[in-house]
Amino acid sequence: ETGVTQTPRHLVMGMTNKKSLKCEQHLGHNAMYWYKQSAKKPLELMFVYNFKEQTENNSVPSRFSPECPNSSHLFLHLHTLQPEDSALYLCASSQDRVGEKLFFGSGTQLSVL
Amino acid sequence: EDQVTQSPEALRLQEGESSSLNCSYTVSGLRGLFWYRQDPGKGPEFLFTLYSAGEEKEKERLKATLTKKESFLHITAPKPEDSATYLCAVQSDPNTGFQKLVFGTGTRLLVSP
């Protein structure tokens, strides 16, 4: 596989559930990102990892918990989410943490009931 | 605070009917302005980076231009396959460390045969 792969593509969860989103990049990049995309709103940066270390947390609620075990894999653990958390969650990678040219996955469309 | 405003919100064109999309921005010091294309159900795909006023970049039917206050994405003789949402983003010139991309809400382009 090439590029940035995200699973699952779609996820429906209740407010009391715990789930995880997975992202894998095959580009040899050093930086990985989580973005949130809601309807009619700009892309919103959530977290940045560089060489497995979290370098940015954009004031994201603690019900979102990222994990980066290595430079190729990124997870977003979800627990006790709210309906307003329903959105498209996009993973991206870039060569370094300057964060210019981003390569995005296709996203996970999350619905919280 | 960096801001990006894109117009129009949506644009419908006939095949072959050329037009332009606008991206107005305010930023403390511009490091770069980026254009991405996003197809339904997919993540954004990088198109161009512009670094300084007067710069132009071209790719097939697309041409991006930059001034000190705005960028235009000109679409010449569009085809139905150009239908997508076009996103603009800016990155400030960082004094140190990471400076995130600030995205606009995008222009949804529909090209009819």
Side-chain angles (χ1 to χ4, degrees):
Chain A
E1 287 195 57
T2 59
V4 181
T5 304
Q6 289 187 244
T7 55
R9 290 297 310 276
H10 298 88
L11 179 62
V12 179
M13 58 187 290
M15 293 168 60
T16 58
N17 292 158
K18 290 185 180 181
K19 296 287 184 184
S20 296
L21 310 185
K22 179 183 176 182
C23 175
E24 184 175 0
Q25 59 97 0
H26 306 270
L27 300 168
H29 288 166
N30 298 315
M32 296 187 78
Y33 310 77
W34 280 116
Y35 277 87
K36 176 182 179 181
Q37 188 173 36
S38 304
K40 301 205 172 184
K41 288 187 177 181
L43 276 167
E44 181 183 339
L45 179 66
M46 300 175 73
F47 301 103
V48 182
Y49 278 81
N50 190 50
F51 288 99
K52 305 186 300 177
E53 300 298 321
Q54 186 180 131
T55 59
E56 304 290 327
N57 177 334
N58 202 32
S59 303
V60 179
S62 59
R63 57 186 183 269
F64 295 91
S65 176
E67 179 189 359
C68 188
N70 55 61
S71 293
S72 298
H73 293 86
L74 186 63
F75 296 88
L76 188 62
H77 304 298
L78 316 171
H79 63 98
T80 58
L81 293 192
Q82 305 298 310
E84 58 264 29
D85 296 322
S86 298
L88 180 67
Y89 288 85
L90 290 161
C91 173
S93 70
S94 65
Q95 184 62 49
D96 56 43
R97 67 188 286 266
V98 175
E100 293 188 353
K101 185 176 178 179
L102 300 176
F103 291 79
F104 286 87
S106 293
T108 295
Q109 186 65 54
L110 174 67
S111 296
V112 181
L113 304 178
Chain B
E1 186 178 330
D2 301 344
Q3 281 193 316
V4 176
T5 303
Q6 291 188 247
S7 61
E9 185 176 322
L11 181 63
R12 178 170 289 197
L13 301 173
Q14 289 294 122
E15 184 172 3
E17 180 187 0
S18 300
S19 188
S20 297
L21 313 183
N22 178 263
C23 171
S24 298
Y25 65 90
T26 13
V27 66
S28 51
L30 183 68
R31 178 185 178 95
L33 184 140
F34 306 83
W35 283 99
Y36 286 82
R37 167 190 171 131
Q38 186 172 20
D39 293 298
K42 294 192 174 182
E45 177 185 351
F46 173 81
L47 291 173
F48 304 110
T49 308
L50 301 167
Y51 293 104
S52 58
E55 189 175 357
E56 299 182 351
K57 293 272 180 77
E58 284 189 69
K59 180 179 180 180
E60 295 180 357
R61 295 174 292 282
L62 300 177
K63 179 180 176 180
T65 61
L66 180 66
T67 73
K68 289 187 177 179
K69 293 185 178 180
E70 58 191 350
S71 176
F72 291 94
L73 185 65
H74 306 278
I75 304 177
T76 303
K79 298 182 177 182
E81 52 262 42
D82 294 321
S83 298
T85 296
Y86 290 86
L87 300 172
C88 173
V90 296
Q91 187 180 40
S92 304
D93 194 10
N95 292 322
T96 57
F98 175 80
Q99 194 68 15
K100 67 180 181 182
L101 293 182
V102 175
F103 282 85
T105 51
T107 293
R108 284 181 288 109
L109 174 66
L110 178 63
V111 181
S112 303

